Amino acid sequence: MKLFGTSGIRGIVNREITPHLALKVGMALGSYVDGSVAVGHDSRTSSIMLKNAIISGLISCGRDVYDIGLVPTPTTGIAIKNFGCKAGVTVTASHNPPEYNGIKIWNKEGIAFSKEEKIIEELVYNNNFKLQKWDKLGNILYRHEESLEIHKKEIIKNIENKEKYKIVIDCGNGAASLFSPYVFKELGNDVISINAHPTGYFSHDLEPNRENLKNLSDTVKATDADLGIAHDGDADRVGIIDENGEYVDYDVILALIASYVLKEGDIFITTVDASMKIDRYLEKYGISVKRTKVGDVAVAKEMKNVNSDFGGEPSGTWIFGEFQMTPDGIYSGAKVLEMKEKIGNICTLKKEVPHYEIIREKIPCENSEKNEKMKSIADKISDYKDVIDIDGLRVNLKDSWFLIRPSGTEPYIRITCEAKTKEKAEKLMGKCKGLF
Ligand code: MG
């Protein structure tokens, strides 16, 4: 069994994700790294239980642990840097339902583990741990408030926000509940917070998308606010509601923020599933687009490779290289606010992003048959010139594209098609289905 999925270790608590497993992961990490580790967790009912098990594992292998408590994932990134840690751990299942939890491990640069996952996996499965004698055990250093304070100060120092805005923040009862509203207040704004009770019980699904942010949208309208900001469960992501109380699509806000952060000649890093709206919009600014595999690790690594300052996924997960390499939903929201103050209202700016229609479908396919199926599709599309095959198959056409990509977790192959009109996108979808 593979322990790590696309975003660390994930599963249902006390079924896949048990304290026993967490302890072993802590011991494996403690055996692998050669320095201190920062450990934080989200607001789930199982998070403290798992965090304590991980910490026990780490100190049993002689590692000093900075226990930073209930914090957003990006605070872990800041803590790793600030305390000079060699790694970090976040106990979170991000936007998954409350019965889930997970373990995400970060390297000393604040980039999620990828190649290192295999090493951890082997240590866990072989029970191969470097347990230490009684006088060589690690220590726990409690740094909850200090970590949040440092993160807050770093954001405030790096964001220009002179005007006073009325902002509604939806924390989804997640890890940002007792943090994000205070950051925006200290930046000098009037803040109304909703779903800011970090109880582990969620009032809506945690992905900050259009369907889940209706309440935020209504609150922005009802209070005549200037902006709505939402986070997922661990606040590495952001969702935006504009001045009219309307949800701003992930790819539209991503195109706008990329044009704001980057300059002519820069490269913007995004993933294979991102809309061509982004390419078309950034062309105007002389910014090129490079695509990677799906996931924040791939984006962060490619940013380093090509020396890019900004990368993001069309899921509200953005990385600002000049700030930190861990995706930061609070900094992202603050950057949108800064862009609004300096460039103009989001409701006006968003009209400048070209419109394309995206449609998605999924075709049932057993996990064991996915490889074979993808090979046969690859053969059938071998005549196309512009094919990206790093994560599924993306074919770029003149004014449209399609992506055929096996799901990492479910028995499906997903198809995404985008074109100028819905009819054209549907025609393309028909063609894609014909390849199966
Ligand atoms: Mg998340």
Side-chain angles (χ1 to χ4, degrees):
M1 192 193 116
K2 215 173 158 281
L3 198 54
F4 290 84
T6 40
S7 200
I9 303 168
R10 274 285 166 90
I12 292 179
V13 170
N14 282 347
R15 204 174 76 186
E16 291 100 14
I17 308 295
T18 61
H20 189 212
L21 175 70
L23 175 73
K24 284 185 164 198
V25 171
M27 292 195 288
L29 181 62
S31 306
Y32 171 69
V33 288
D34 59 352
S36 58
V37 179
V39 183
H41 65 88
D42 71 9
S43 64
R44 289 163 196 276
T45 56
S46 56
S47 287
I48 291 178
M49 166 183 91
L50 296 169
K51 177 198 73 170
N52 285 336
I54 291 167
I55 291 179
S56 291
L58 285 164
I59 59 176
S60 72
C61 294
R63 299 297 152 219
D64 288 339
V65 171
Y66 290 87
D67 181 352
I68 59 173
L70 170 58
V71 294
T73 283
T75 308
T76 310
I78 295 284
I80 294 169
K81 213 164 46 173
N82 187 70
F83 301 128
C85 296
K86 288 290 170 71
V89 179
T90 316
V91 177
T92 182
S94 189
H95 61 281
N96 286 164
E99 64 272 27
Y100 282 77
N101 214 331
I103 303 167
K104 195 158 175 173
I105 309 179
W106 309 87
N107 69 16
K108 63 178 182 202
E109 291 176 285
I111 300 176
F113 267 23
S114 53
K115 268 189 271 163
E116 307 94 324
E117 288 178 345
K118 241 194 142 37
I119 301 168
I120 299 295
E121 225 163 62
E122 276 175 19
L123 293 171
V124 167
Y125 288 135
N126 297 326
N127 285 309
N128 184 10
F129 309 121
K130 292 182 188 159
L131 296 175
Q132 301 296 311
K133 286 193 193 142
W134 68 274
D135 58 345
K136 293 278 187 299
L137 301 177
N139 295 302
I140 307 182
L141 303 114
Y142 295 99
R143 294 289 185 274
H144 171 61
E145 280 176 17
E146 193 180 334
S147 301
L148 289 174
E149 202 54 38
I150 295 164
H151 190 189
K152 186 166 70 184
K153 278 194 183 132
E154 286 283 313
I155 296 173
I156 291 169
K157 194 173 83 190
N158 283 283
I159 294 292
E160 280 185 55
N161 174 200
K162 295 193 184 80
E163 302 277 327
K164 185 181 202 154
Y165 295 105
K166 189 192 275 185
I167 304 168
V168 188
I169 302 182
D170 183 345
C171 301
N173 289 345
S177 296
L178 302 178
F179 182 65
S180 191
Y182 296 94
V183 172
F184 286 90
K185 188 165 181 274
E186 281 195 32
L187 277 165
N189 304 287
D190 283 333
V191 175
I192 299 164
S193 59
I194 58 172
N195 302 316
H197 305 87
T199 54
Y201 292 82
F202 306 136
S203 47
H204 60 71
D205 281 354
L206 291 178
E207 194 171 344
N209 60 21
R210 184 185 292 274
E211 298 81 69
N212 297 334
L213 300 185
K214 289 208 171 71
N215 193 9
L216 175 62
S217 183
D218 290 344
T219 313
V220 168
K221 282 180 203 158
T223 58
D224 203 16
D226 301 301
L227 196 69
I229 293 171
H231 303 298
D232 66 331
D234 63 325
D236 58 344
R237 298 209 219 171
V238 72
I240 297 292
I241 304 289
D242 71 15
E243 297 81 359
N244 298 328
E246 283 171 17
Y247 179 79
V248 189
D249 284 330
Y250 280 141
D251 40 23
V252 171
I253 193 69
L254 186 55
L256 291 175
I257 202 77
S259 73
Y260 174 63
V261 175
L262 299 171
K263 52 186 192 309
E264 201 178 337
D266 284 347
I267 305 172
F268 168 59
I269 307 298
T270 190
T271 45
V272 285
D273 56 340
S275 166
M276 69 190 300
K277 287 175 191 173
I278 299 171
D279 307 58
R280 293 291 181 265
Y281 184 69
L282 294 181
E283 262 165 24
K284 285 203 310 196
Y285 296 89
I287 299 163
S288 55
V289 177
K290 186 154 191 229
R291 286 187 165 75
T292 69
K293 287 207 267 192
V294 172
D296 58 87
V297 191
V299 172
K301 294 213 156 157
E302 194 57 28
M303 282 171 66
K304 294 224 121 194
N305 279 348
V306 303
N307 200 18
S308 169
D309 249 356
F310 183 65
E313 291 189 84
S315 59
T317 317
W318 306 347
I319 300 172
F320 297 86
E322 91 281 345
F323 189 64
Q324 67 162 330
M325 293 309 288
T326 308
D328 189 330
I330 302 103
Y331 188 75
S332 299
K335 212 65 188 171
V336 171
L337 186 67
E338 184 187 281
M339 173 171 76
K340 171 182 163 57
E341 181 169 309
K342 286 189 161 182
I343 312 284
N345 283 342
I346 311 300
C347 61
T348 314
L349 291 177
K350 74 177 188 186
K351 291 184 190 137
E352 291 171 23
V353 178
H355 185 77
Y356 283 84
E357 289 286 342
I358 267 197
I359 50 172
R360 295 181 176 89
E361 285 197 34
K362 52 188 186 183
I363 309 279
C365 181
E366 287 308 319
N367 287 337
S368 56
E369 289 161 17
K370 282 176 180 168
N371 274 346
E372 195 82 353
K373 190 46 100 188
M374 288 306 291
K375 262 187 219 152
S376 113
I377 293 171
D379 286 342
K380 289 181 191 157
I381 61 161
S382 59
D383 285 346
Y384 288 109
K385 281 193 189 73
D386 190 356
V387 180
I388 306 174
D389 60 0
I390 42 173
D391 191 0
L393 296 162
R394 175 173 168 133
V395 177
N396 292 318
L397 303 161
K398 194 164 167 279
D399 218 16
S400 60
W401 60 275
F402 64 87
L403 172 70
I404 301 176
R405 183 174 173 266
S407 160
T409 48
E410 294 174 289
Y412 293 109
I413 292 184
R414 296 179 193 281
I415 311 175
T416 310
C417 295
E418 186 175 46
K420 205 68 202 152
T421 62
K422 196 155 191 204
E423 293 71 48
K424 283 182 181 168
E426 274 164 0
K427 211 172 147 197
L428 195 55
M429 181 60 80
K431 259 190 184 176
C432 289
K433 285 178 167 172
L435 296 168
F436 279 77

